[in-house]
Amino acid sequence: MMVYAVLILDLRLSGCRSLKEKRGNIRPILNRLHKEFNVSSAEIEKNDCWNESVIACGLITNEKKAADAQLNQILHFMENHWRNIDIINYSITYL
């Protein structure tokens, strides 16, 4: 059985004062998530807000348990490696 899983992170970026600065903070995060976890990731909402962002990380696997473990690793990775970014809310959806 194939499982599609998506982690949605609602973020607040402290210290950003412009959209250019925000993009400079978000782009390395998206690249690192792809490199470390082999997931697709993108900013999906709040593109025009300089201090907030919503990013999604998606993956396809054959077990829900594996998807859940990997998405939770991403959540902990975000909390531990980007201390200047607050995770306001998050959700995991399975399709």
Side-chain angles (χ1 to χ4, degrees):
M1 180 171 114
M2 215 170 8
V3 176
Y4 304 92
V6 179
L7 170 66
I8 305 214
L9 297 163
D10 192 1
L11 307 174
R12 180 172 295 125
L13 294 88
S14 56
C16 284
R17 300 197 190 333
S18 69
L19 288 175
K20 184 176 181 179
E21 189 175 355
K22 173 191 171 181
R23 285 189 298 272
N25 286 326
I26 293 294
R27 188 173 296 124
I29 292 170
L30 298 176
N31 291 337
R32 184 88 183 265
L33 290 174
H34 177 69
K35 181 180 175 183
E36 294 286 329
F37 298 99
N38 195 26
V39 294
S40 296
S41 57
E43 183 177 22
I44 59 169
E45 289 181 25
K46 299 184 181 178
N47 297 3
D48 295 331
C49 184
W50 54 268
N51 65 345
E52 292 184 27
S53 179
V54 178
I55 62 172
C57 302
L59 62 95
I60 300 172
T61 185
N62 56 357
E63 293 183 11
K64 182 180 177 193
K65 187 176 181 179
D68 192 46
Q70 188 167 2
L71 294 179
N72 279 306
Q73 284 179 345
I74 291 170
L75 182 62
H76 294 299
F77 182 80
M78 288 290 299
E79 291 171 339
N80 293 329
H81 286 84
W82 280 281
R83 303 225 183 245
N84 63 329
I85 296 176
D86 297 320
I87 299 173
I88 299 168
N89 196 10
Y90 72 93
S91 66
I92 298 176
T93 305
Y94 300 97
L95 307 169

